[in-house]
Structure formats: C-alpha cells, structure tokens
Amino acid sequence: MCGIVAYIGPREAYPVILKGLKRLEYRGYDSSGVALLNGDLRVYKKKGKVNELEESLIGKDVHAHAGIGHTRWATHGEPSDRNAHPHQSANGKLAMIHNGIIENYAQLKTELQKKGYVFKSDTDTEVLLNFIEDIHENNQCGLEEAVRIALKRVVGAYVIVLLDAANPDTIIAARKGSPLVIGVGKGEHFLASDASPIIEYTKEVVYVNDYELAILKADELVLKNLGNEKITPFVQKLDLELAAIEKGGYDHFMLKEIFEQPDTIFDCLRGRLDVSNATITMAGVQNNIEHLKLANRIIMVACGTSWHAGLIAEYVFEELCRIPVEVEYASEFRYRNPVIHKGDVIFAISQSGETADTIVAIERAKEQGAFIFGVVNVVGSSIARISNAGAYTHAGPEIGVASTKAFTAQLVVLTMIALKIAKEKNTISEERYVHLLNELHEAPEKVKEILLLNDKIQELAEKYKDAKDALYLGRGYNFPVALEGALKLKEISYIHAEGYAAAEMKHGPIALVDENLPVVFVATKDSYHEKIISNIQEIKARKGKVVAVISEGDETIPQLSEDIMVVPQADELVAPMLSVIPLQLFAYHIGVAKGYDVDKPRNLAKSVTVE
Ligand code: G6P
C-alpha cells in the first residue's frame, strides 16, 4: 500500500519517477506527488490518480537530478492535495515520502505541538518528518543521525525516503515492515517499493532489510543498521523482463493475467512435476520433509484471495495427507493468543509476500516454535525471507489489484506439496497419486479451453451487470471457489455479493432469494453433485436466477439454470483451479461493462502493508 519511487543520478529525475509511479499505482491511487531537488526543493502533489498529477505539472519546472515520488493509499487523513505525499518539514528544507503507519504518531505530535509545531496535513508522515527535523536542528546532528534517533522512537511500520535541500547529492531511506528495493545503475541509483519501476534501467538490485538505513548518492550506496554500523549490500540480479509488467495489448492487466493462466500454471509445474516418472521435485518440501510429514497440525495463514487458496488447501491436505488443517485470517490469528505447539506447521500464503498481517502472524508463530512454510509469489519478499522453507508460485508479476493468476498458481503449488507429503506418509494410493499428477499436468490445456468462453461470458456480464446483489454457492472443494467468485465480483464491479456453502444457505441467505437475485452455483461434477443439484432446485423453487459453472457432459443442471458456463471435466481436487476462471472473467466483464477501472478498484490496494 502506497508506492514510492526515488532517483538520483545524471538522468532527469521527474520522468523516471513519473513512469515508476504509474507502474506502482496498483499499490494505491488516491493521490500522488513528487519532490524535486535542483537548487531549491519543489514539491508538487495532487489528489487523484498519477495522470492527474502529470497533467497538473505540464509547463511547470520539473528539472532535477534527484527526486522522490509517492502514490498514496490513505491511512491517516482523507485523500486530498494536503494529505498527499511528499510532505515538507516545517522549515521547508526536508521532503519525505512514507509507506506504512506510525502508530505512536499522536504522542509525537503532541510533543511537537508543545514545541510550537503547526501541522499542515492530517498525516502521521508529517509528524515523523517534523520529529526528524526537530532532532536534526536541536541536536545539531546530521540528517542521517537524526533519522536514526527518530526511528528508535517510532512504533509502527515504515519505508521513508527523504530529500534534504541542504544536501542535494544525497537521498536517505529507511525500512521497517514495508518493502524497499534499490536499483544499482552505473553512476545512478533508483529506489522503489518493488522492482517494477527499476527494471527498465538496471537489473542489479539490493533488497533493504528491516531496521536498515540506505544513504544514496549517484555513485555510492551505503547501507547501515540503526546502530550506525555499515552493512555490505547484497546485490542480486533480477530475473524479470519489462514485458512481464506491461499490458501486452490487453485492455487491462486483470484480463492479461486471467489469460496468462495456462502459462503460469505450466510455469508453476515446470521442472517440478514429472508425469513419466511419477515424481514431484520441490526442494523446499524435500529438504524439510520430516517437519512436514510429522506435522501434528497445519495452519494456513493468509488474507484475501490467498486465504481462499488456504481454504481449498484445507480440503486437499486433509484428504491426501490426513493431517488436521486450520485456516486462519492472518489479521485475527496475530491478535488472539493462538495455541501453537512445536509440531505445528504454518503455511503462509501470499502473492506479494508483504502483507503486514501475514508477516506479523508468522513472526509470532515462529517465536513460539512453529515451522513456517511460505507459499509466495514475489521472490525475495519479506514472507519468503522470514519463512523457514517455502515454494514460490512463479506466476510472474501480478499487477491487477484483484488477484487471479496468483490464486491458481497457489492452488497448484499447494496441491503439489500435499501430494508430495502424502506420498512420503503413504496416505495416498499409487493409483490416485499418478491420476492426480496427470490431472495437474492436463490443467494448462483445460484452462486454455475455458478461456474460449470469454465472449460468451462477456454477453452474460451484459445481462447481469445491473444486479444489486448476487449469491455464490458451492460445496466441498468448490465452496471456497464460491467465496472467491463473490470476492472478485465485489472488488471489481461493486455489486454486493456473498459466497456461501450451498447447504448452509438454507440457514439465512435463502431469505434473499427472489426473481431478481442471480445465484451463481459452482457445480462441477464431484462427490457432492447430487447434493448441489438439490440446492439448485431449492433456489429455483424460489424463482432465483441460477447461473451455473458446470462440467462438460452434465445434462441435469442446464435444465435447471438460466445460464451455464461449461468447463472440462476434472478430478474434484483439481477442479477449483478450473472452475474459478469463468468467475474471474464474469467479474471482469461486469466491472468493464459498468465502466469501472478494474485494475484499480476504489479503496483497494494490491499489497496491504498496513494492518
Ligand atoms: C489485498 C489484495 C488481494 C490479496 C490480499 C492478500 O487485499 O487486493 O488481491 O488477495 O491483499 O495479499 P497477498 O499478497 O498476501 O496474497
């Protein structure tokens, strides 16, 4: 949440920062701003998306070789020009951008107000900035030292980046709990929340760790800890191409990412699944197999769509591995006092690897002796680094705020892990094991077939786009798919949608059913099939409009449904990675038909780095 970019070097800073902000806009888009340093410090900011900032700067002096930029997802203070970043310190000499939350800002603010500070915004960021300025002026120490002293008092999460009018050749940045990547160029440095604004210029990057300070000049990078000791920067080469973060001819990233799924699932399986030898190779699982197979209990910890992947994994792991599984919202898990034993294995599922609640949840569990296994998409992210072991989902950068390809990749990885553990534990027959390997192997081709439904689903979207509410129902493996389908619709089209276990709907949601309510059934052929047909009958009897995702060859449900979306047959354990795809397309096309910006739905952000 919130995107930050900074540049120092021989290029014009503004175009680099502006382009970077556009790439990071998925992290927040309620306001944006830049601070540029060329003799004097100029700060420009604007409520709204980055292109509104860009328009407002036409004709303005944006010449500079050092600058910082920010795109905001509001926490403290409503979206407005005033609350947009960068903020300027009271004496006007410092400018700062911030991603995160300063929890003790109220206390710091009172202290500063007593000293006569007056605040121009409602943000916690301005408080921290003036706190730094105050230390800088009164302790007569350098800015770097002032930042260090200030951060020792700060409670919360942050990435901060500062420009100092008195030191135009230096940018200072620090991190705790929010992501920060430095791009190392020839005689220039870049800084951003993720690598996407950087890869166009350099593939050499340094991931800054918590409690580290970066002091950047055009030709020098110094990393220090809060104790002022130097740290040798670990420069890594990024394995990321520019094309992966561009739209490539699609109208939206979301559609591109939905259409990438045959490839992302294939990439996820590649080098791991070997059908001819009936093996799965996953070093993270193999090297820790004792922990995994002897687990007394598995706890899946995640948020949002990743939490839905965890729910599906619960069914998969319990069936295949015979290990009890619990699935927890990271935000709940971290604040209650969960009972954790040494033999517990925590699966942290996260696309970004930076979700604040998931990070803290696993840190707490790790302290109590649990073994943490990360299922993460972004290589080198915080969750990947905190975990004891893990497996990447290899879905490539996901930029659309509503998660699609990362979800199916999570399902693939989690299923492979379960299969591998089950094989080791002997809780799966050879026949079923081989069958499921084949089913996974065939998934990319089946997804390709489902994507051919795109035009038909676009027509359905026109038909249902004016619905006020929608109900999504499923059973067994498809119950979490119903939750995910409802979430996608809510996120993208702002239609109120509820996901429910199909049998449970009799205990409440059935009261909502009338001739106006679309009820989307995820009803592919599985062991619950007869049961879900009864549930469809119950809805039909109350005149609900049934839209069903069904398997090829189903002759019963089409007769009960207003509309159907047909997917290839698959084992029920693999079915969710197929049945979710029509629902992703359905939500996408409804959002587009309603004229919404589906890549940047209101109030949401891709990576939730605040709690
Ligand atoms: C945000 C995103 C969701 C995502 C969730 C968890 O809410 O908009 O798409 O599922 O965060 O994110 P993670 O990166 O941990 O999977």
Side-chain angles (χ1 to χ4, degrees), residues 126-236:
E126 194 191 1
V127 174
L128 175 57
L129 175 59
N130 280 328
F131 186 53
I132 293 170
E133 181 202 270
D134 184 50
I135 297 170
H136 183 35
E137 286 192 337
N138 292 330
N139 290 21
Q140 303 201 324
C141 59
L143 182 61
E144 187 195 317
E145 182 61 15
V147 169
R148 225 184 335 266
I149 295 170
L151 293 182
K152 285 186 186 154
R153 273 217 48 207
V154 160
V155 180
Y158 54 79
V159 158
I160 54 167
V161 186
L162 285 123
L163 275 184
D164 177 2
N167 271 308
D169 63 344
T170 308
I171 290 178
I172 296 182
R175 157 187 172 146
K176 188 209 149 200
S178 297
L180 179 61
V181 190
I182 295 172
V184 183
K186 289 202 171 65
E188 59 184 349
H189 284 103
F190 305 81
L191 219 146
S193 301
D194 71 29
S196 59
I198 297 174
I199 52 165
E200 188 170 344
Y201 310 103
T202 174
K203 292 203 169 166
E204 313 258 291
V205 297
V206 174
Y207 289 95
V208 180
N209 291 308
D210 278 351
Y211 304 108
E212 285 179 3
L213 224 74
I215 303 103
L216 296 168
K217 297 184 189 298
D219 54 2
E220 188 189 42
L221 159 62
V222 175
L223 270 191
K224 289 184 177 175
N225 60 21
L226 292 187
N228 200 21
E229 292 158 341
K230 280 198 179 171
I231 298 163
T232 311
F234 174 51
V235 183
Q236 304 185 36

Side-chain angles (χ1 to χ4, degrees), residues 555-570:
E555 286 171 3
T556 314
I557 298 183
Q559 295 172 32
L560 303 172
S561 308
E562 171 104 5
D563 288 294
I564 50 168
M565 308 181 211
V566 184
V567 301
Q569 294 215 8

Side-chain angles (χ1 to χ4, degrees), residues 25-30 49 72-73 252 254 399-403 487-494 591 596-606:
E25 224 178 351
Y26 69 88
R27 300 178 66 88
Y29 31 81
D30 59 47
K49 295 193 174 142
R72 180 170 186 247
W73 187 89
H252 297 99
M254 183 178 176
I399 294 167
V401 165
S403 184
L487 177 65
K488 288 285 90 85
L489 191 70
K490 265 185 283 214
E491 286 180 303
I492 300 305
S493 73
Y494 317 147
Y596 297 140
D597 184 350
V598 295
D599 280 338
K600 299 184 202 99
R602 70 181 179 208
N603 304 338
L604 297 177
K606 180 80 186 150

